[in-house]
Amino acid sequence: MNSDKLRQEFFNFFEKKKHKIVPSSSLLPSDPSVLFTTAGMQQFKPYFLGEKSPHGNKAVSSQKCFRTSDIEEVGDERHLTFFEMLGNFSFGGYGKEEAIKLAKDFLDSIKVKIDYVTVFCGNKDIKKDEESANIWEKFGFSEEKGNLKFCGIDDNFWGPTGDEGPCGPTTEIYSQGVEIWNVVFNQYYCEKNKTLRPLPLFGVDTGMGLERLAKVSQDVPTIFETDLFLPIISQITGGDEKARRIIADHVRGAVFLAAEGILPSNVERGYILRRLLRRAIRYGKLSALGGQFLIPLAESVIEIYKGAYPEISAKKDDILTVIKNEEEKFEKTLDRGLKEIQKVPNLTGEVAFRIYETYGFPLELTEEIRKVENREAFFLMQKKHQEISRTGAQSKFGGGGEFSPKLHTATHLLHAALRDILGKHVQQMGSDITSERTRFDFSHQQKMTEDEIKKVEELVNQKIKDDLEVDKREMTHGEALKSGALAFFKEKYPERVTVYSINGFSKEICAGPHVKRTGELGHFKIVKEESSGAGIRRLRAVLE
Ligand code: SER
């Protein structure tokens, strides 16, 4: 069955079972603790907690999802950044028996055979899910038969997305060697401090990757041979399989991110879009793809999704322009880097590192062009550089009396308040803090109105009045990003970073220092608002 048909069959099946078809939510979630929508349940989070759902107590959707944590994994047989998740949801509408039966019946209806299922084996806090196992047994699945396995918390417990939220044990369905469907029983709420409390309502949240379902239904070796990928990947002629998969995945992801109005930049979501495009281009070079090649691929992506996601074709021109501009820009940088690689008399690891720093050439790409002598030096330089930037950041912010920790904390509050009042497109583009004032540059198209300035000031002053604790924590850079901490990507981050959070309101990777509580700050006032380049505004603010 082709993918459009599978998606439609899924809707039809659940609509007949009284589920309301709900359109996919945006890839940009309202929850500030996550960068992108990563699961179908996110838009339904409040209804699992008891808020009245405008869709009734049963819903079905096909959700656009993007998982940044998987960027480096792409290239194998199953990882993707962008994917679609089919899901049915219940907020007190049914229990385990019906949830499992619905999943089984749907797969039967499209003739997909289940190889085996997994069920949660329990741990010291949560009991073994015998109930689900008993239900599966009625359908012919059991431990004795070898088609039901009990697994632990890593495999059969899901959630929450972001800092807190619904979560619970799962039962998962496997077909042709891949996990295709995750059926989650949202029985708990996971608090920020990671304790679980039972939810009053029994929630069901299921997620089935459309790409994987298509692979199984179309009986092809991997997701990359399905109709969702073939038209893209078949245009990429050179290179190895891994490169072709990476290019295809990244172009798909880039199209969907650009459709949300994201522009390539060096921070946050814009940085992810830039990273996808530049990574696709680099792999294109490794695959000997000549010239600029992204546009025809992006056009194929749009063609594939124009029926299911009309916003993609509606934004076609914008999407293609964004991709074309970034490709041209990066092409020039790469050309300069290429010349440098060819002409330097002695291409050592040190030189390769400088080229990487200046032109964004990763070592593997440089090595495709010319042999690098003493390549270990590349990694040594990389490590040294990270250490320097760490101590550099400390000494810059550390002393000299030139820098005010109070204004530094105020700057974090300002950043969060701007995102709250103006929208999540606000990203830090630069900042400069002295003992007198903070100066903050951020992405925003229009001049701020007086009313907006007032609202931002009020919000910051409210947070000062609330005397919130400024929490400081060390973690790896990956963990920090996963936890939703904002990062200013112009800096190079060391492996371990410090994350400062202000009580659910602000969370940023930052070298510090900060005050201990917001109550120490005094009164916050914005003294100037002006332009600082195209699409960038600049604020100056003081504490009185
Ligand atoms: N929330 C679960 C997942 O993302 C099921 O939808 O896998």
Side-chain angles (χ1 to χ4, degrees), residues 207-249:
M208 174 157 58
L210 177 64
E211 292 78 2
R212 291 188 188 179
L213 181 66
K215 174 223 169 302
V216 170
S217 172
Q218 293 165 21
D219 197 14
V220 288
T222 73
I223 48 180
F224 297 100
E225 282 87 19
T226 63
D227 62 334
L228 290 169
F229 274 97
L230 215 50
I232 312 168
I233 219 160
S234 61
Q235 291 181 56
I236 311 168
T237 41
D240 64 5
E241 192 147 64
K242 181 177 165 205
R244 286 199 295 274
R245 289 171 178 173
I246 290 174
I247 295 167
D249 169 85

Side-chain angles (χ1 to χ4, degrees), residues 38-39 41 67 85 158 182 184 205-207:
T38 55
M41 59 78 71
R67 294 191 176 169
M85 185 126 81
W158 195 85
N182 188 10
V184 184
D205 149 31
T206 87

